[in-house]
Amino acid sequence: MPQITRDSLMTLEAYAKARPQFRAQVMAHKKHRTLQIGGNVTLIFEDELTVRYQIQEMLRVEKIFEAEGVADELEAYNPLIPDGSNWKATMLIEYPDPGERHGMLSRLIGIEDKIWIMVDGGQRVYAIADEDLERENAEKTSAVHFLRFELDSAMVRSLKRGAGFAAGVDHPQYHYTVDSVDARVRDSLVEDLA
């Protein structure tokens, strides 16, 4: 998959003008790349468009325009773009009440290693989590993790032929399964595969 380059990004001024329309486009796109697993875990599957939006937003918020700063953002975010044999997702653990969130994050240590997908009733593929840095400690896990699901060639072929997939979490403190992922989400994710 192509990587985002500095030359392909909008300047801060151009992005300020394009932002409302671009943001609306990305939010509509993300609707078909979002998977809720139970009431408190959400996977947002990344692709070139979602990562481009994140980079543009970071440059805008941080007012980054110098080459070194832009290069740092590209280095941080480009690895989130799937490369044709995998899906990459941002996992959010969401509990609206701060007290409940604090308690659950301490009980959900290791959850990022218990997220799985299963293509067409085959074997579970567990996520490879947080390759950039550790996001948990002995007391709690983070509310945000970055996941990669590596698919073998048979899985890719099955998905391209229309096979469905399931997803789930099998952590002792959080156990949910989505037996059949929505077809619109499935179709959007199949576009990431070479």
Side-chain angles (χ1 to χ4, degrees):
M1 292 291 183
Q3 296 287 289
I4 299 167
T5 64
R6 181 171 187 227
D7 292 338
S8 73
L9 293 168
M10 289 181 254
T11 65
L12 292 179
E13 182 180 356
Y15 185 63
K17 291 177 187 171
R19 185 174 183 257
Q21 183 178 356
F22 186 56
R23 186 176 192 285
Q25 174 193 356
V26 172
M27 293 305 115
H29 180 70
K30 279 187 174 187
K31 285 182 184 176
H32 300 301
R33 300 188 66 81
T34 300
L35 176 60
Q36 189 77 35
I37 305 176
N40 307 99
V41 171
T42 303
L43 301 182
I44 302 169
F45 288 89
E46 307 293 353
D47 68 357
E48 195 272 349
L49 182 63
T50 65
V51 172
R52 178 177 297 281
Y53 173 72
Q54 186 63 37
I55 292 170
Q56 290 284 180
E57 283 293 299
M58 289 303 296
L59 297 176
R60 181 185 78 85
V61 168
E62 301 291 331
K63 296 180 178 33
I64 298 169
F65 59 89
E66 294 176 353
E68 185 178 341
V70 173
D72 289 344
E73 296 302 319
L74 291 168
E75 185 178 336
Y77 287 102
N78 263 327
L80 295 177
I81 299 172
D83 65 16
S85 67
N86 53 37
W87 290 329
K88 297 183 181 181
T90 300
M91 179 179 82
L92 307 173
I93 303 172
E94 302 170 299
Y95 289 89
D97 177 79
E100 182 183 18
R101 180 172 52 248
H102 179 74
M104 287 307 297
L105 291 177
S106 68
R107 290 196 294 276
L108 291 173
I109 292 172
I111 190 172
E112 68 277 9
D113 298 317
K114 301 297 183 182
I115 312 294
W116 55 267
I117 59 135
M118 181 172 53
V119 176
D120 203 22
Q123 291 194 334
R124 289 181 177 180
V125 174
Y126 283 88
I128 300 163
D130 302 326
E131 295 176 282
D132 57 340
L133 61 97
E134 191 62 37
R135 289 191 159 75
E136 71 178 21
N137 58 40
E139 285 135 32
K140 69 178 184 73
T141 192
S142 173
V144 178
H145 293 275
F146 298 100
L147 311 178
R148 175 170 54 94
F149 297 94
E150 277 300 322
L151 308 173
D152 66 29
S153 57
M155 292 172 187
V156 171
R157 282 193 306 275
S158 291
L159 287 161
K160 286 184 170 262
R161 287 193 299 254
F165 76 96
V169 182
D170 63 10
H171 188 276
Q173 299 293 318
Y174 193 94
H175 195 276
Y176 290 95
T177 298
V178 176
D179 291 320
S180 181
V181 171
D182 181 275
R184 291 170 296 188
V185 173
R186 191 206 78 83
D187 292 348
S188 180
L189 298 183
V190 167
E191 292 178 20
D192 295 344
L193 303 173

